[in-house]
Amino acid sequence: MKNQLETIFKKISEAVRQVSELKQLEDIRVKALGRKGELTRVLQGLKDLPPAVRREVGQIANVMKGQLLRHIETRVEELKRASWTADPKLRPDPTLPGRPPELGREHILNRTIRDIEDIFRSLGFAVAEGPEVETDYYNFGAMNFPVDHPSRDMHDTLFISGDVLLRTHTSPVQVRYMEQQSPPLRAIMPGKTYRCDDDATHSPMFHQVEGLMVDRDVSFADLKAVLTLFIRRVFGTGAQLRFRPSFFPFTEPSAEIDMACVKCRGKGCNLCKGTGWVEILGAGMVHPQVLRAGRIDPETYTGFAFGMGVERMAMLKYGIDHLRYFFENDLRFLRQF
Ligand code: PHE
């Protein structure tokens, strides 16, 4: 069998040397080493040999196989180079510039959240997160919603089962944060929120950034100062704000904050529905009941809270006129930022 191998090896080596075309080389490789090749067939006979001989012959055969493959590779290179000399057009051009890998981009909503975080971090706010799957207690009860409040209805809230639901706002993170920290505290809490809502200006999933500051003597003036500073950082020093009395169960007093319309600068247009103002934030002084739920004594401490819609911020800042652009993932849209 050794002799048989020797003969095959010599024959194939010689054939490889003689070959003058790449295609023939491939034929030789298949005929010799392919599944039905000569060498392969001999190797299949190995199993009939006594174990001791089998081992020795097997090793020789493997070495030969490796050598043959290397012979073939070398010959492939030689033939290729010969063809380049014959026809320089076939030669690969190493000066061709490579194709740069395409870079991905941060989604504009993530970018907006990051920008918001950066501004608040520079004001000493921490960034915290809470669960998207919440209990009725944190989403409503701890936030001082009365038991019969309409937003607890199935028409507004996506329930999972019993007392478990998808949070309808980021406000429940306020109480979770207060439970873990003691004042003075300053934090924002970005994240996804869910409501039973789907039209041109509402999506069943959207993003909010909650803000909370609790300390001795925190006042509504502090709230105004922080929000004004924030909005001017986002929209420029010319941004005008208006605080409008409003109501939330978890703040008292409460306000909604409008910004002079970025599109018409207060004259009135379709964006601001002719009013000259667009609503951008809900805010207020944290209700004593909410502080208590967070195990903070409302006799000693006061605080303010606010909540903003991230999609809305991005729409106003970048002049995006439809919510669906954020979620369609059309690259032509995503690449603009
Ligand atoms: N949670 C309110 C909303 O979703 C916003 C808000 C947050 C208002 C904090 C006041 C204080 O509309």
Side-chain angles (χ1 to χ4, degrees):
M1 192 151 179
K2 267 198 248 168
N3 290 339
Q4 216 180 340
L5 282 172
E6 201 70 47
T7 319
I8 297 177
F9 179 76
K10 281 208 185 112
K11 200 175 85 188
I12 301 173
S13 300
E14 189 51 32
V16 170
R17 235 190 318 273
Q18 305 255 314
V19 112
S20 60
E21 270 177 53
L22 281 174
K23 200 188 149 317
Q24 293 170 338
L25 205 50
E26 178 58 14
D27 289 345
I28 295 176
R29 194 190 61 80
V30 174
K31 250 193 241 149
L33 306 167
R35 222 150 27 105
K36 291 186 183 145
E38 266 179 290
L39 192 65
T40 316
R41 221 156 357 151
V42 176
L43 289 178
Q44 275 160 1
L46 273 180
K47 61 178 187 307
D48 304 323
L49 297 177
V53 190
R54 192 193 304 161
R55 220 175 130 206
E56 197 202 336
V57 179
Q59 273 172 359
I60 295 173
N62 274 329
V63 171
M64 281 182 181
K65 198 168 161 177
Q67 275 179 355
L68 283 178
L69 284 173
R70 271 193 299 281
H71 281 338
I72 294 176
E73 265 171 45
T74 320
R75 192 71 188 126
V76 166
E77 282 304 309
E78 282 171 11
L79 290 177
K80 271 192 190 161
R81 271 170 220 286
S83 73
W84 296 344
T85 326
D87 181 358
K89 270 200 276 273
L90 294 176
R91 180 191 284 275
D93 179 358
T95 65
L96 270 183
R99 287 191 206 102
E102 257 213 70
L103 282 186
R105 282 173 181 66
E106 194 174 22
H107 192 283
I108 186 58
L109 285 178
N110 283 334
R111 169 70 198 271
T112 305
I113 292 174
R114 199 161 50 86
D115 288 345
I116 295 170
E117 287 177 3
D118 285 347
I119 296 172
F120 280 103
R121 274 211 188 88
S122 77
L123 298 174
F125 281 70
V127 179
E129 281 183 8
E132 290 168 32
V133 178
E134 255 307 358
T135 58
D136 177 272
Y137 170 72
Y138 281 105
N139 197 77
F140 294 124
M143 299 313 289
N144 198 36
F145 280 75
V147 277
D148 57 353
H149 195 279
S151 69
R152 292 183 116 140
D153 197 277
M154 299 265 282
H155 292 292
D156 289 306
T157 301
L158 293 155
F159 285 90
I160 289 181
S161 65
D163 278 350
V164 182
L165 46 80
L166 293 178
R167 67 179 177 195
T168 59
H169 52 175
T170 42
S171 299
V173 193
Q174 285 185 32
V175 169
R176 287 185 176 277
Y177 193 76
M178 287 189 277
E179 283 175 342
Q180 285 159 14
Q181 314 272 335
S182 39
L185 49 91
R186 260 182 293 185
I188 59 163
M189 305 128 199
K192 291 188 169 69
T193 51
Y194 302 83
R195 285 181 203 175
C196 245
D197 226 344
D198 197 4
D199 60 39
T201 51
H202 298 91
S203 144
M205 185 282 293
F206 58 103
H207 298 77
Q208 287 191 333
V209 175
E210 193 79 12
L212 177 69
M213 172 164 173
V214 180
D215 198 353
R216 291 171 200 271
D217 303 323
V218 171
S219 71
F220 203 92
D222 297 313
L223 170 64
K224 275 183 92 166
V226 167
L227 289 182
T228 305
L229 209 143
F230 166 70
I231 288 301
R232 295 201 167 147
R233 288 257 194 106
V234 177
F235 293 99
T237 44
Q240 287 296 321
L241 290 188
R242 153 176 110 167
F243 287 68
R244 201 162 28 81
S246 184
F247 175 81
F248 299 103
F250 36 93
T251 47
E252 181 58 34
S254 305
E256 276 174 307
I257 294 123
D258 302 334
M259 181 172 67
C261 181
V262 278
K263 194 165 165 191
C264 64
R265 306 196 171 276
K267 285 196 212 52
C269 67
N270 61 337
L271 180 63
C272 57
K273 301 193 187 81
T275 64
W277 297 92
V278 285
E279 187 199 319
I280 49 168
L281 283 149
M285 300 307 292
V286 181
H287 195 287
Q289 283 295 75
V290 177
L291 288 173
R292 279 190 202 104
R295 299 199 271 271
I296 290 175
D297 178 9
E299 300 300 325
T300 316
Y301 293 103
T302 52
F304 66 72
F306 57 86
M308 68 183 98
V310 177
E311 282 80 358
R312 193 164 178 80
M313 282 284 164
M315 286 168 93
L316 291 171
K317 178 152 167 109
Y318 300 103
I320 299 162
D321 57 16
H322 206 294
L323 203 52
R324 75 162 178 256
Y325 290 122
F326 292 119
F327 307 116
E328 272 178 349
N329 287 336
D330 183 332
L331 288 177
R332 289 169 303 179
F333 170 76
L334 297 176
R335 281 193 180 128
Q336 288 178 47
F337 303 98

